[in-house]
Amino acid sequence: MTKKVLINEVGLRDGLQIQQKFVPTEGKLELGQALIDAGVRAFEAVSFVSPKAVPQMSTAGEVWAGLPMKDEIYYSALVLNEKGYDRAMDSGAKVVSMALASTNKMNEANIRLDLESASAMFVKLIKRAKDDGVETRGYVSTAMGCPYEGDVPVETVVELTKLMLDAGADKISIADTIGSAHPEQCKRIFATVVEKWGADIFGAHLHDTRALALPNAWAALEEGIREFDSSIGGLGGCPFAPGAKGNVATEDLVFMLEQSGYETGIDVGGLLRAVGVAERLVGLKLGGRITEWWLSQERKKAKAAAEAA
Ligand code: COA
Ligand code: ZN
C-alpha cells in the first residue's frame, strides 16, 4: 500500500473562520504562501458562505483571486448553499467541498435546514457540479458525534456517504467536527466505509478537542486512508458546533507521518515558519506539540555549528 499521504491544509478556512481577529486578504495570502513554501500542495482555501454568518470569510472571492494558481496545487472551496456554489463558479473554482452534517440539529444550526432538506439540497448541488465538470468533496460532518444530538450511528455515516456518492461526489471526507471520536471508533467507521467503497475516495477530517486527533489519524491510516485535513498550528473550530476546537495541527501530523516512513512532501521546519505567520495574523500563541522540541533541536544544531566554526 502506498506510503504517500496527501495533506489537505484547511487552516485558511476551518482554521480562520472562528478567529475573532479579522485577517485581511493579504494576510491570508501570506499564510498560504508560507504553507506552499513548506511544501503544502492541497488547500481548502475559502468558504463561500454568508458574510453575516462568518465575517472572516467575507473576502473569500478576493482571497481566491489572489491565490497562486498552479497545476500542482489543488484548491477547494467550501459551499453550503446554491448562492455559495454560484459564487464559487464565478470565482473559477474547479473543486468544491460541501458539508452535510449527520443530524437534524447540526444541519439546522449550521445551514438552517433539517437533515432531509440539507441532503436534498446537497444532492442537487453535487449533480450540478457533475454537469459543470467540477470536482466535489462531500463531507459527512459530525460523523463521530454531534454537539446537539450526541452519538451518530455508523449506519447514518454509511447512508450519507452513499447518498453523496450516488449523486456523483468524487471524494468523501468523514469528519470528527467536534473532536469527540476515539481511535477504536474512528477505526470502526473507516473500516466500514473502506470495506464498501475502498480507501482511495476517502479522507479524514479530525479535530483535536480531546487530544485524540493524532491517534485517530493513525487509526484511519491503518484502515488505508491516505488523505487528511489538518490545520497549521492547530487553528480551527466551528462557530456553529459548540465545543469544537482546532483541527489536528499540520506540523504534528506531518511529523508523525514522516517519522513513520510515510511521505507527505512537506517540511516541518517550513511549517513552523508558517505557524509564526499565523500567530502574527491571529494574535494568538499557536502550535502543535512538536514545536518546542523541534525548535530546541534547531538551537542545539545551531550551537554545535557555531562551536565547530
Ligand atoms: N454567500 C453570501 N451571502 C449569502 C450566502 C452565501 N453563500 N447565502 C446566503 N447569503 C445571504 C443572503 O443573500 C441573505 O442576505 P441579506 O440578508 O442581505 O438578504 C442572507 O445571507 C440570508 O440568506 P438566507 O438564504 O435567508 O440564508 P439563511 O439566513 O437561512 O442562512 C446560510 C443560511 C447557509 C446562508 C448561512 O447560515 C451561512 O452561510 N452559514 C455559514 C455556515 C458555515 O460557514 N459553517 C461553518 C462551516 S461548515
Ligand atoms: Zn472542521
Side-chain angles (χ1 to χ4, degrees), residues 3 29 42 57 62 78 101 120 131 178 183 200 219 228 234 236 247 257 260 284 298:
K3 286 281 186 184
L29 294 175
M57 291 295 122
E62 211 177 277
L78 178 69
D131 289 344
I178 57 168
D200 290 356
F228 293 88
N247 289 84
L257 292 167
S260 309
L284 294 172
E298 301 271 282

Side-chain angles (χ1 to χ4, degrees), residues 10 13-14 17 175-177 205-207 237-238 245 247:
V10 298
R13 198 282 299 171
D14 204 344
Q17 71 179 6
D176 182 17
T177 309
H205 177 103
L206 302 166
H207 283 257
C238 176
K245 290 279 189 313
N247 289 84

Side-chain angles (χ1 to χ4, degrees), residues 13 88 95 102 144 162 169 173 184 188 190 193 228 238 244 261 265 272-273 280 289 295 309:
R13 198 282 299 171
V95 186
S102 307
M144 306 184 198
K162 182 173 182 321
S173 187
E184 218 288 314
R188 190 161 17 95
F190 279 105
V193 294
F228 293 88
C238 176
L272 294 186
R273 284 189 281 283
R280 173 162 48 76
R289 292 287 308 281
L295 294 179

Side-chain angles (χ1 to χ4, degrees), residues 1 188-200 202 220 223-225:
M1 184 164 266
R188 190 161 17 95
I189 291 176
F190 279 105
T192 306
V193 294
V194 166
E195 199 195 345
K196 286 189 186 301
W197 291 287
D200 290 356
F202 287 101
E223 294 308 318
I225 302 304

Side-chain angles (χ1 to χ4, degrees), residues 116-138:
E116 199 182 329
S117 313
S119 299
M121 192 256 308
F122 284 124
V123 162
K124 204 170 140 198
L125 284 185
I126 292 168
K127 286 186 174 158
R128 209 178 134 195
K130 197 91 195 151
D131 289 344
D132 293 343
V134 167
E135 184 181 326
T136 49
R137 305 170 57 81

Side-chain angles (χ1 to χ4, degrees), residues 13-14 17 44 47-54 57 78-85 87 99 106 108-113 121 141 177 237-240:
R13 198 282 299 171
D14 204 344
Q17 71 179 6
E44 186 177 85
S47 59
F48 289 104
V49 295
S50 159
K52 277 186 212 146
V54 187
M57 291 295 122
L78 178 69
V79 302
L80 297 173
N81 62 7
E82 203 161 348
K83 181 158 186 180
Y85 182 84
R87 289 175 60 208
M106 186 61 218
E108 279 158 6
N110 201 34
I111 56 173
R112 303 193 216 299
L113 296 174
M121 192 256 308
S141 59
T177 309
C238 176
F240 310 100

Side-chain angles (χ1 to χ4, degrees), residues 215-233:
N216 286 339
W218 190 261
L221 195 73
E222 287 198 316
E223 294 308 318
I225 302 304
R226 294 292 180 269
E227 188 176 321
F228 293 88
D229 287 1
S230 63
S231 178
I232 191 68

